[in-house]
Structure formats: structure tokens, C-alpha cells
Amino acid sequence: MGLPLPEKNVAASTLRCTFGKLEIELDVPEGVWNPTPNGILLGELLESMDFSSESILELGTGCGVHAVVLGLRGAREMLLTDIDEEILSHAKHNLDKHGINTKTRFLVADWVQVDVSGYDTLIANPPYCVAGKDYRRYFIDTLILEAHKLVRPGGRIIFIHSTMADSPRTIQLMEECRMTVRILAEKDYPFRDYYFDDQPFMLEMAKVPGSYTVRNGVHHERLMVFEGTLPED
Ligand SMILES: C[S@@+](CC[C@H](N)C(=O)[O-])C[C@H]1O[C@@H](n2cnc3c(N)ncnc32)[C@H](O)[C@@H]1O
């Protein structure tokens, strides 16, 4: 089923992030996902973009790290979802703490099962290593397949995952959905310790084409931020 929830990823913390010129200090209470290198790289990328006057849907907002950046980068309105009310209350806390006055709605929803449409941009850092699903790509595939219901024609999805989730497969699925694909950012990171705690997981990852590289005995994954622009018709 996947890795156990790594304790340090859900322990209480105060996280200071520097994204370009933005200094952000997030309160992450116990039980809420601490942004990992995935969340940080996505945050850095979003900081370098302009979301002026866009409507944004973020699935699985967690502590709200990206919503803070999107608000500071001009988003006109945001809908932030997660699996429970308490997680969303902490995202709200972090938005308030940073004085984000973008019109924002918080909604408990099961991933893409959100009854909305027409958003300019959908943002996500989908669960994968700790997906809790037998089919580990569930959150990635459903995001791509259902995007047309949530995003307007010509709108886009921006999301991050590791090469361990099979990047060629992601690109192919987006293209099959007639999206125009761009890689907006990519960066290598050494494996996190908890990957090695689960040997079946390691074996599974070894079967994914291009999953990781080992350099000087150190395993590295490559995190990639994908943009898929939906067709106009
Ligand atoms: C990898 S974390 C990303 C959190 C945050 N966006 C970040 O980058 O730090 C995935 C998030 O998805 C949420 N999540 C997990 N399963 C979900 C589901 N079925 N529906 C909605 N959100 C879900 C988790 O609670 C978590 O906040």
C-alpha cells in the first residue's frame, strides 16, 4: 500500500521558506503535511510566475504554502481543498498570517471530486510516495484525466512529481488528453531516509523507467514541475 506516514512529515513545526524575494514563515501543526522538497520547489516556481487576475484551484493545499505564494503573486480568487476541515483551518491561519486578502474559499473534498468548473489554473502536489492507494499514480492520473471538468478550455494545470512516479507516462497521458506540455522546473534531490525503510517500495521504484540515478553511491530522484495547457475546444 505504500510507505507509512513519515513522522517528521506530520510533526508540528514552524517552517521558514525563502522563495526568490519572498520570505514566508508557516505554522504547520501536528498532523498536517510539512512541505517537502516537492512543495518547496513548486513554491519557488510559483513565486517566479505572475497569477494576476487568475482564478486558482489548489487540490490538497495542506498548510497553504502555495496559496500564500499565489495570493502574493496576484491571484484574483482561490479555492483550496483538502481532506478535512482541520487541515484547511491551518491553511487559513497561514493565509491570514501573511495578510493574503485574495478572495479565498476552503472546501473539504476528495481530490478531483469537486463540483466546480472554469478555473484558470489548477495547482497540485499530488500524494505519490505516501499515496495510501494500491494504484500509486491514482492522484496524478485522476488530476490529468479530470482537469477538463475543473479548468476552462485554454486553462492549465501545474503540478509536481518525482521521476519515481514515471515522468514519461505523465507526459504521454497529458498529450493523450490533448494538453500542451511544458516542464517548468526540475531539480535533483537525494532520497529521503524514509524511502529506504520500505524495501518493497524501493523494489517498486526500481521498476519505474528513469526512476532515479545513483551517483557516488547516493540515490537521487529528479523533481519535475509540469504544466499542461488544455485545448481551447
Ligand atoms: C503531498 S501533500 C501536499 C501538501 C501541500 N500542497 C504541500 O505541497 O506542502 C498532499 C496533500 O493532499 C492531501 N490529500 C490526501 N488525500 C487527499 C484526498 N483524497 N483529497 C484531497 N486532498 C488529499 C493531504 O492531506 C495533503 O495535504
Side-chain angles (χ1 to χ4, degrees), residues 36-54:
T36 59
N38 300 46
I40 303 296
L41 182 60
L42 182 56
E44 283 173 7
L45 184 266
L46 298 176
E47 187 278 334
S48 71
M49 298 175 73
D50 180 8
F51 293 91
S52 290
S53 74
E54 288 197 31

Side-chain angles (χ1 to χ4, degrees), residues 33 35 39 58 60-62 65-66 82-83 87 109-111 125 127 139:
W33 188 260
E58 184 182 25
T61 195
V65 55
H66 303 126
D82 215 296
I83 37 172
I87 295 177
D110 186 3
W111 204 236
N125 172 11
F139 292 97

